[in-house]
């Protein structure tokens, strides 16, 4: 039978692993968002230099067409969220399907 002290030590050992998993998930989310954002940027802006990118990022969103923002949400943010949820779901709740080989 486990004592209270053993349960406390076991719980303390799980925290570094949980923090690491959290950081890995955040990293995956950021990489997916970066990938889809770059794809969206290339599709909308074409092959531009760093000066143009910095200039565009420094401008406010005031006066920006709503279709432009919707385009980003549809083409970059939505696929990121969908893939992240699928990835998260597949690791949190593995199916255990065997191939039968």
């Amino acid at each position: 039978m486990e004592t209270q002290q053993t349960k406390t030590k076991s719980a303390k050992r799980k925290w570094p692993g949980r923090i690491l998993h959290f950081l890995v998930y955040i990293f995956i989310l950021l990489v997916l968002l970066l990938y889809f954002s770059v794809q969206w940027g290339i599709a909308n802006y074409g092959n531009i230099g760093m000066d143009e990118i910095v200039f565009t990022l420094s401008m406010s969103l005031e006066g920006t067409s709503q279709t432009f923002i919707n385009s980003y949400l549809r083409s970059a943010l939505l696929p990121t969220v969908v893939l992240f949820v699928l990835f998260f779901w597949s690791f949190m709740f593995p199916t255990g399907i065997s191939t039968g080989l």
Side-chain angles (χ1 to χ4, degrees), residues 58-98:
S58 66
M59 297 282 88
S60 68
L61 288 176
E62 186 177 311
T64 303
S65 171
Q66 188 63 36
T67 58
F68 203 60
I69 295 171
N70 289 339
S71 169
Y72 178 79
L73 294 175
R74 240 186 356 264
S75 300
L77 196 59
L78 183 64
T80 298
V81 170
V82 168
L83 283 178
F84 180 74
V85 167
L86 289 174
F87 177 79
F88 182 76
W89 187 269
S90 69
F91 281 99
M92 292 305 291
F93 308 105
T95 59
I97 298 173
S98 64

Side-chain angles (χ1 to χ4, degrees), residues 11-81:
K12 285 182 181 177
R13 279 187 244 137
K14 289 182 182 178
W15 277 106
R18 289 182 180 173
I19 292 172
L20 181 63
H21 280 124
F22 177 76
L23 292 176
V24 167
Y25 289 133
I26 294 297
F27 178 74
I28 290 169
L29 179 67
L30 292 175
V31 166
L32 286 171
L33 184 61
L34 179 65
Y35 173 75
F36 286 115
S37 294
V38 166
Q39 295 298 321
W40 176 83
I42 291 172
N44 284 292
Y45 292 111
N47 190 13
I48 60 173
M50 193 62 184
D51 292 338
E52 290 88 359
I53 293 172
V54 171
F55 175 77
T56 304
L57 291 175
S58 66
M59 297 282 88
S60 68
L61 288 176
E62 186 177 311
T64 303
S65 171
Q66 188 63 36
T67 58
F68 203 60
I69 295 171
N70 289 339
S71 169
Y72 178 79
L73 294 175
R74 240 186 356 264
S75 300
L77 196 59
L78 183 64
T80 298
V81 170

